[in-house]
Amino acid sequence: MSDQIVKPYGDTMNDGRVQMSFTLPISWSEAADEAARQLVAKMGFEEVQVVEGRAIASGFSFFVVYASTPHGIDAAAIKAPSAKAHAMSMDDVDAFVRERIGRKVRVAGACIGTDAHTVGIDAILNMKGYKGDYGLERYGMFETMNLGSQIAVEEFVRIARDRELDALLASQVVTQKGSDIKNFTALAELLEAEGLREKVVLICGGPRVTNLMASELGYDAGFGRGTLPSEVAAFIATSMEKRGLR
Amino acid sequence: MSDQIVKPYGDTMNDGRVQMSFTLPISWSEAADEAARQLVAKMGFEEVQVVEGRAIASGFSFFVVYASTPHGIDAAAIKAPSAKAHAMSMDDVDAFVRERIGRKVRVAGACIGTDAHTVGIDAILNMKGYKGDYGLERYGMFETMNLGSQIAVEEFVRIARDRELDALLASQVVTQKGSDIKNFTALAELLEAEGLREKVVLICGGPRVTNLMASELGYDAGFGRGTLPSEVAAFIATSMEKRGLR
Amino acid sequence: MELRIDSAAVHRCRAMAQAVVAPVEEFIAAHSTVAVERSVLRLLGVDGVGPDEIPLPNYIVDSLPIEQRPHGIALPFGRALAQTGLDPAALAVAIGEGRHTLAEFDDVPSEAARGALAPFVAAAMHRIAERRAERDERLSRIPQLEPPLLYVIVASGNIYEDRTAAVAAVEAGAQIIAVIRSTGQSLLDFVPYGPTTEGFGGTYATQANFTIMRTALDEISERSGRYVMLTNYASGLCMPEIASMAALERLDMLLNDSMYGILFRDINMKRTFIDQHFSRMLNACSGIIINTGEDNYLTTADAVEQAPAVLASQFINEEFAHRAGMPDAQIGLGDAYEITPDLQDGFLYQVAQAQLTRQIFPDAPLKYMPPTKHMTGDIFKGHLIDALFNLTSVMTKQTIHLCGMLTEAIHTPFLGDRALAIDNAQYIMNTARHFGDEIEFKAGGRIETRAADVLSQCEALLARVTEMGLMRAIETGVFADVKRPADGGRGFDGVFARSDTYFNPFESALRQAAGLEAVR
Amino acid sequence: MELRIDSAAVHRCRAMAQAVVAPVEEFIAAHSTVAVERSVLRLLGVDGVGPDEIPLPNYIVDSLPIEQRPHGIALPFGRALAQTGLDPAALAVAIGEGRHTLAEFDDVPSEAARGALAPFVAAAMHRIAERRAERDERLSRIPQLEPPLLYVIVASGNIYEDRTAAVAAVEAGAQIIAVIRSTGQSLLDFVPYGPTTEGFGGTYATQANFTIMRTALDEISERSGRYVMLTNYASGLCMPEIASMAALERLDMLLNDSMYGILFRDINMKRTFIDQHFSRMLNACSGIIINTGEDNYLTTADAVEQAPAVLASQFINEEFAHRAGMPDAQIGLGDAYEITPDLQDGFLYQVAQAQLTRQIFPDAPLKYMPPTKHMTGDIFKGHLIDALFNLTSVMTKQTIHLCGMLTEAIHTPFLGDRALAIDNAQYIMNTARHFGDEIEFKAGGRIETRAADVLSQCEALLARVTEMGLMRAIETGVFADVKRPADGGRGFDGVFARSDTYFNPFESALRQAAGLEAVR
Ligand code: B12
Ligand code: B12
Ligand SMILES: Cc1ncc(COP(=O)(O)O)c(C=O)c1O
Ligand SMILES: Cc1ncc(COP(=O)(O)O)c(C=O)c1O
């Protein structure tokens, strides 16, 4: 094993210890504990310890297991650059836009599809901002629209065309049955089909979003949990400059 | 998949959902989350969601993951009979011994090896008992010795011979570095070597003990967490009767 | 454990809530909505779907020419009953199949219509009373455990998986089961029909689904020797219809708020006020406990700042409920444990708020909602926040206790999550059972001061609302920073002014049952 | 948040503890042990190992003919110093290598021996004072955060993995690090030597390991801007030796109990009493806070029943400590959160006990141990029990707070477990920081009644002990139901009566430093 490969760490390098819990649809008995042990062994774990097993309802048992995985990962080789690379304050961003773009940037954000979780996108857009970091509405060089919740992608694209948006911010919080991926993909494809994709900075966000996933979906950036407005603003500004969107 | 095969149950039959947590010896970044995701995928899980990832120290990150396992287990086929099968009260056991054995049963218990965790074996032996269930010392038809802690297996076997014990109760609570298995095995082998194995009921116990493991180690029974004294007494009495140890 | 609170201020707040609600009630008395009318049909016995799967109550109300709406659906339907001799269910099917139209019977005298309706109205009222009596009988035979009553949600989208989950939760110790509705049902202007297995983040509220769950819960109630309550949502565009279905299916609780739909679902305010009133009269009569939605102020905005708005809304909800004939014992006012876990002494603030609510509404079965907004993927931390919520609840003697899930930020609850959540509540509430009885608050300390601040800010807020009037206050964004125009939002087209001959037989029956004065 | 307690009863308990300890102190003054003598050598500068890896202090003390032991090791060693002109370290090596024996120097006059010892005694006392001053300087420059001080253990068996774990824990917020010792070290009648990487359930306490950890913690203290304390165990057969090593390596705390070894390790009681006394004089002088072991009563027997024994032991430990010249600020009396989680109102009992201890020993840096016995493989439940322990600690203002691990029933802590444990404590102690300041106990309620019961039962227990004498009481099983004969148990052969010419230069120096009267 190369020394770049890392394994889970319990109390000793490379011990591979992992904690697990799950429910099985079987009644509890000592045999159920053994079933849990064999199941985890089948998953490829070693030194499996079923440390808790008990009935939580008739026909259902709950287990807590500790076990060692033989697998490791070359963490250093993983490429997943963050969209948050550029740390800039609100004033820095405004100055940057003023100098390098030379005009106000037009941004709109929305919860797309049937998603009504606006708190996250509001945190990015509203004056008040998030954790002491002002939202985009407060930026002197941004013209910010908050379209709110349950915005169909068609509607969002129409607004992008009508208002000549520079940046689109799409939020998805509900992820059940892959609805987030579906909606994000639909937005990117429709923009492409309408010939608008090259003209805008396309950004997605939400608690389960990663920048890597965003780029796989054809977005310029993706922002996950704990995002601050200034991180998004900095990305928009630098990316417009880089792509010559003036 | 046969319908005997069960998989972990999140909120729908066969969804295979499992919760995991572990530490990786790497600094946190979005790439670390991705490393965790890929690692869990390498373990063979599907629909991997890294729901929490954060630095817990320089060079260490902690993750919480939900994922689906494709593996299932035929729980009904698992044979792991419990040693607790015979439910008898103290009075039942005493009556049983009086009638079927016809004399007092000689029992000794000990924490073997360097283990000093006597609370568990005391719970089985002491008058007072455990969770309202009296200990073996209180049984009219048992002659009970509590040898205490850190008893070498040689010592235990010597006492078994000298006192003509009918049943040996060995306890192991510390399991680090497999010390429990080592000590249990040594006891079973020494009894065999001394020609005593056939003459005694050999029982082990401790929080990580299972009856299955006990039988693999050549014990008559193994008792795990939550054992009550009467369960052990019932096993000793019925097993002596079955084996004709009179 | 009592806070010294300014009871004169509480008194003033109640008086202001009365002043706020009185003009709205006048407005309500002069109007009705399509949902109220559909609910009348449902109570008469109309159910099922007609052409294009349109529920018959919708089909029939929509078939009424718009200029006839102001008189209400009861008289036209009663005319048809009188003339055809059919019972309401059969008549509805006949209309759905095009075999009759309401217009055919325009000439039948009102008196005949009223006469034809009377036995069905009486039957419905009798049925409601029966179901209520049935609940009382069960509750006295297999009573629930002491509050806080553990309440969990099921939300798989499939009523049969929900049933499995509900039974498992009851075995683990749950005393109340809520079936979360599918996303967006609150915006449907009809109630779906039949058992459903495909919902999104929840399961459709249908009468068939109510029956399936009620049956399963009755069965497990008997097995476990404790009555298990069933909860659903009389919120959104079908408040009164769901309230009538719930009455007939013996649900025990309904989410039902006088302003939630307006603020958080952009439903027209007039529609909401009218609908909540009729639905609450029904709930009052059915013995159903309502759960109000003040927790939503705390999840959408800062919980420390929104505390006065929560209290103000509780006063308003209380007043609306009283005016619908609802006794305090059925008014489950909402609150939630939503202050950020990072705030120093946040726990003290939560205790202050919970105890304040407890003392101001001593007879209300308070509904205490768990931490949600600040829950993260760190399930271990989340379990702790839930533990302090559980502690606060038992200390301050909350009544209806929604168990927090350690996976709140991740997915709708797994079966195992629910078991851990119930374990958490049971452990904390047992080990600290009488803690609240054994302590007192330091006079003028942080906890009392916080409670006093919340109360006085609430008073100021209510004063502003009294001055402007409730509708205007909502228009200007006084609540939750949300502005809603009086004639905007969804469902406004279903609101209409009553004519002089408007007739709703259940209105009078319900008012009478509740001991309220007759309208006009 | 004050309990109304019977201060006269507290007064009587203290008086009884004095009466119990006084005769034991007389016994101590007339005896010494091999461990005390080895400790004298260590303080003089003897270290390292001789033949068969036997530590030189052991080798030299054991080389003294048994009939000479009553005079102590100092004079014979001093004679050799005087005659050889070597320093203690070099002399010890020479003896170890067989180049000298103590017997060679029998004729050297005592005065010369005393003279030769004096500068090394002074140097040792100076060194101890210096290390203490160094701690004071660091603490004033980079002070710790407010108590409860978060304390975690490291226990990998390998001092280098322990170091990694310790640094990680400090980064997460730990203020005190304890290196748990390898199983069975307490029963070794010598202190292992050098850095060690193979321990069992813990890491050997050696001077080299102390240095490695102290260096790492000093470094991270500077980086994090808070002084981090280091803890080990002066328990077992080498109490005084570990206390001297700890003084020299600037440890900040030591587990050290006047009865723990007797009851829970079957170490001879006389040996223990003598050893604890000398080790405590050293600790007093080094500014080291001791941690007593009352928590062990609660893990081995029922926690509700053992509460009075815990309190009695605290009084006795306090009295022993005072007689070793230890100020209250260094007496870290032990207690633990060990009541079964299934007991209704168990939390109230825990609060009662913790607050009672806090009030009776207002200046002691109380050491509060986490739940262990009732922790199970259900880590989720375990995390909650730890949370209520954390809450009790911050409410009752405990000082030294051992963080409970959610994996207590499973393995010695993983790095991630420690992070979760610290998170737990930080969350609870921040969100409920001033909760204890804001509440009062109801007079005569469950909490006060429990506290009063514990105190009165403790008084009864101490009365029994006073009557019998401490040694007899232990023989008859008054404490923890464990019976130990006065002349049984391990290490009894290392106890001896002092002759009239017994000399221990550190005893006088330490007594003087502590302002105690000279012996005899
Ligand atoms: C508040 C809340 C609600 C409120 C929403 C109010 C509102 N106006 O937003 C109400 C009560 C209305 C609600 C309703 C529902 N909810 Co909800 N809700 C939550 C809750 C508790 C908090 C979400 C939140 O506000 N987080 C705080 C914000 C600040 O965090 P955030 O969204 O992650 O945003 C940050 C980043 O992600 C990022 N970000 C987010 N978007 C974007 C976009 C861009 C462009 C960028 C750059 C960054 C960015 O920046 C933000 C700041 O850092 C979560 C549980 C939880 N703790 O997460 C459940 C949760 C999200 N809800 C859930 C569900 C199922 C529902 C319902 C379907 C339930 C139902 N059947 O009624 C409905 C659906 C409504 C709908 N149509 O979407 C589930 C989703 C499950 C899943 N994974 O799919 C959750 C996880 C709860 C649960 N365990 O069941 N909910
Ligand atoms: C109390 C305790 C101690 C006490 C023991 C006092 C005593 N006289 O027993 C003291 C403080 C002395 C102690 C010391 C140590 N302990 Co310890 N201790 C515990 C603790 C907290 C509780 C154990 C207990 O009493 N459980 C209650 C009893 C009733 O349960 P039980 O033992 O499972 O017994 C039941 C069944 O298993 C069964 N059973 C048990 N034995 C037998 C035998 C038979 C024949 C039968 C039929 C049934 C049976 O019946 C019982 C009743 O149902 C556990 C953590 C935990 N919560 O489990 C750690 C724990 C066991 N200790 C541990 C360690 C590492 C140590 C030390 C090495 C620490 C150190 N470096 O000093 C020392 C080692 C001492 C030694 N030489 O063994 C680890 C073990 C890790 C591992 N898996 O190997 C644990 C898990 C803590 C931890 N997380 O680090 N410990
Ligand atoms: C009063 C009330 N109704 C309904 C709901 C559920 O949301 P929906 O509007 O999607 O039915 C809530 C949720 O918080 C609520 O508080
Ligand atoms: C005072 C004291 N010393 C020592 C120990 C550690 O055990 P050991 O005797 O194995 O060193 C404890 C543990 O609880 C203790 O309380």
Side-chain angles (χ1 to χ4, degrees), chain C residues 56-356:
Chain C
L56 286 173
N58 288 66
Y59 187 82
I60 297 171
V61 168
D62 292 349
S63 76
L64 199 66
I66 199 93
E67 63 284 1
Q68 287 203 32
R69 268 198 196 166
H71 313 309
I73 193 71
L75 284 178
F77 196 74
R79 288 189 180 98
L81 284 178
Q83 197 70 9
T84 59
L86 293 171
D87 69 11
L91 173 61
V93 171
I95 295 174
E97 292 174 352
R99 286 184 281 120
H100 285 300
T101 63
L102 291 180
E104 288 171 47
F105 311 105
D106 275 357
D107 298 338
V108 178
S110 295
E111 278 325 296
R114 287 178 192 249
L117 288 166
F120 299 107
V121 172
M125 293 302 290
H126 180 68
R127 183 88 207 281
I128 291 173
E130 240 177 21
R131 306 262 24 195
R132 182 178 185 149
E134 192 183 334
R135 178 191 302 111
D136 292 342
E137 182 277 324
R138 288 176 186 261
L139 265 171
S140 72
R141 186 164 47 78
I142 44 174
Q144 301 203 283
L145 302 175
E146 236 181 310
L149 298 170
L150 304 189
Y151 173 125
V152 297
I153 64 165
V154 295
S156 72
N158 178 326
I159 189 66
Y160 303 106
E161 292 278 2
D162 281 354
R163 181 173 59 184
T164 303
V167 170
V170 172
E171 288 183 339
Q175 307 218 49
I176 306 175
I177 300 290
V179 183
I180 300 292
R181 287 195 300 185
S182 179
T183 308
Q185 177 168 2
S186 56
L187 305 184
L188 301 181
D189 212 341
F190 64 90
V191 182
Y193 181 73
T196 69
T197 56
E198 285 260 302
F200 194 75
T203 305
Y204 285 102
T206 72
Q207 195 161 347
N209 288 347
F210 287 2
T211 316
I212 290 169
M213 196 56 95
R214 180 73 274 171
T215 307
L217 293 185
D218 281 348
E219 202 266 316
I220 184 77
S221 292
E222 295 295 337
R223 263 205 288 140
S224 62
R226 306 175 269 113
Y227 184 70
V228 180
M229 292 189 162
L230 176 59
T231 307
N232 211 292
Y233 293 71
S235 259
L237 290 169
C238 297
M239 284 179 148
E241 286 179 274
I242 296 201
S244 39
M245 286 158 44
L248 301 175
E249 300 300 328
R250 191 173 28 88
L251 267 65
D252 307 287
M253 291 188 187
L254 286 172
L255 280 268
N256 182 279
D257 193 285
S258 56
M259 300 196 288
Y260 164 84
I262 307 166
L263 299 172
F264 302 105
R265 285 289 173 268
D266 196 11
I267 293 176
N268 174 262
M269 61 174 85
K270 294 174 179 170
R271 170 77 177 254
T272 299
F273 288 134
I274 301 163
D275 283 351
Q276 64 85 31
H277 182 69
F278 190 65
S279 65
R280 283 185 180 187
M281 288 201 300
L282 267 166
N283 294 337
C285 186
S286 341
I288 287 179
I289 294 169
I290 61 167
N291 294 178
T292 63
E294 282 80 3
D295 41 285
N296 295 284
Y297 296 91
L298 305 173
T299 50
T300 47
D302 183 80
V304 174
E305 285 169 19
Q306 289 291 320
V310 165
L311 185 55
S313 172
Q314 288 167 334
F315 279 117
I316 293 172
N317 259 315
E318 179 190 51
E319 182 57 24
F320 269 116
H322 283 163
R323 285 174 186 258
M326 196 165 259
D328 285 350
Q330 280 173 249
I331 308 174
L333 298 171
D335 186 12
Y337 194 97
E338 288 284 13
I339 293 176
T340 168
D342 296 340
L343 183 70
Q344 194 178 68
D345 289 328
F347 174 67
L348 283 65
Y349 282 38
Q350 296 285 17
V351 170
Q353 178 85 12
Q355 181 63 19
L356 181 66

Side-chain angles (χ1 to χ4, degrees), chain A residues 67-235:
Chain A
S68 293
T69 179
H71 297 286
I73 186 110
D74 186 350
I78 284 171
K79 295 282 165 285
S82 168
K84 302 183 183 175
H86 337 267
M88 289 165 87
S89 70
M90 179 169 80
D91 293 340
D92 291 349
V93 172
D94 274 341
F96 183 97
V97 173
R98 207 171 293 114
E99 284 165 30
R100 315 279 185 100
I101 318 281
R103 62 167 175 83
K104 285 199 179 185
V105 168
R106 281 177 304 277
V107 178
C111 274
I112 61 173
T114 59
D115 208 317
H117 290 89
T118 51
V119 176
I121 185 77
D122 285 348
I124 305 299
L125 301 179
N126 284 2
M127 285 279 176
K128 200 169 139 192
Y130 191 59
K131 303 215 163 162
D133 195 75
Y134 291 131
L136 267 52
E137 289 177 353
R138 191 155 194 140
Y139 283 59
M141 295 304 292
F142 278 63
E143 212 180 291
T144 307
M145 274 163 282
N146 188 340
L147 308 178
S149 72
Q150 306 196 317
I151 299 300
V153 298
E154 295 75 13
E155 168 87 355
F156 203 2
V157 172
R158 192 182 55 69
I159 292 171
R161 182 167 346 82
D162 293 357
R163 305 281 184 105
E164 300 191 328
L165 294 181
D166 296 305
L168 276 67
L169 304 183
S171 181
Q172 289 282 266
V173 173
V174 174
T175 58
Q176 272 169 338
K177 301 181 186 160
S179 61
D180 51 337
I181 306 292
K182 244 174 285 170
N183 291 326
F184 282 143
T185 307
L187 177 61
E189 287 176 352
L190 194 62
L191 279 172
E192 192 71 62
E194 302 274 310
L196 289 170
R197 179 66 190 86
E198 291 311 303
K199 303 189 183 136
V200 298
V201 179
L202 180 60
I203 296 178
C204 61
R208 288 289 100 72
V209 169
T210 66
N211 191 39
L212 188 69
M213 154 189 159
S215 67
E216 284 165 4
L217 297 176
Y219 281 65
D220 295 313
F223 292 85
R225 47 192 153 80
T227 305
L228 299 179
S230 62
E231 295 167 337
V232 181
F235 182 87

Side-chain angles (χ1 to χ4, degrees), chain A residues 49, chain B residues 114-121 123-124 130 150 169-176 203-208 223-228 232, chain D residues 180-184 200-202 260 265 296 299-300 372-376 407-413:
Chain A
Q49 275 186 297
Chain B
T114 59
D115 207 318
H117 290 87
T118 52
V119 176
I121 184 76
I124 305 298
Y130 190 59
Q150 306 196 318
L169 304 182
S171 180
Q172 290 280 265
V173 173
V174 174
T175 58
Q176 271 169 340
I203 296 177
C204 60
R208 288 290 100 71
F223 291 86
R225 46 192 153 77
T227 304
L228 298 178
V232 181
Chain D
I180 299 291
R181 287 195 299 184
S182 179
T183 308
F200 193 76
Y260 164 83
R265 284 291 173 267
N296 296 283
T299 50
T300 48
T372 62
K373 191 167 64 163
H374 296 288
M375 298 292 278
T376 67
T407 52
E408 170 61 32
I410 305 167
H411 46 233
T412 48

Side-chain angles (χ1 to χ4, degrees), chain D residues 396-436:
Chain D
T396 62
K397 301 190 192 300
Q398 303 290 312
T399 319
I400 303 167
H401 180 88
L402 271 91
C403 294
M405 297 290 147
L406 77 175
T407 52
E408 170 61 32
I410 305 167
H411 46 233
T412 48
F414 284 178
L415 195 132
D417 299 339
R418 245 180 251 108
L420 294 182
I422 292 170
D423 275 358
N424 185 333
Q426 285 177 333
Y427 161 57
I428 300 282
M429 292 185 185
N430 184 50
T431 194
R433 187 84 217 170
H434 299 99
F435 186 60

Side-chain angles (χ1 to χ4, degrees), chain A residues 4-6 72-82 212, chain B residues 24 26 29-40 42 63:
Chain A
Q4 302 219 48
I5 303 281
V6 295
I73 186 110
D74 186 350
I78 284 171
K79 295 282 165 285
S82 168
L212 188 69
Chain B
L24 287 179
I26 55 178
S29 66
E30 286 178 40
D33 279 358
E34 176 61 14
R37 197 189 62 74
Q38 292 188 19
L39 175 60
V40 176
K42 255 180 130 173
F63 302 92

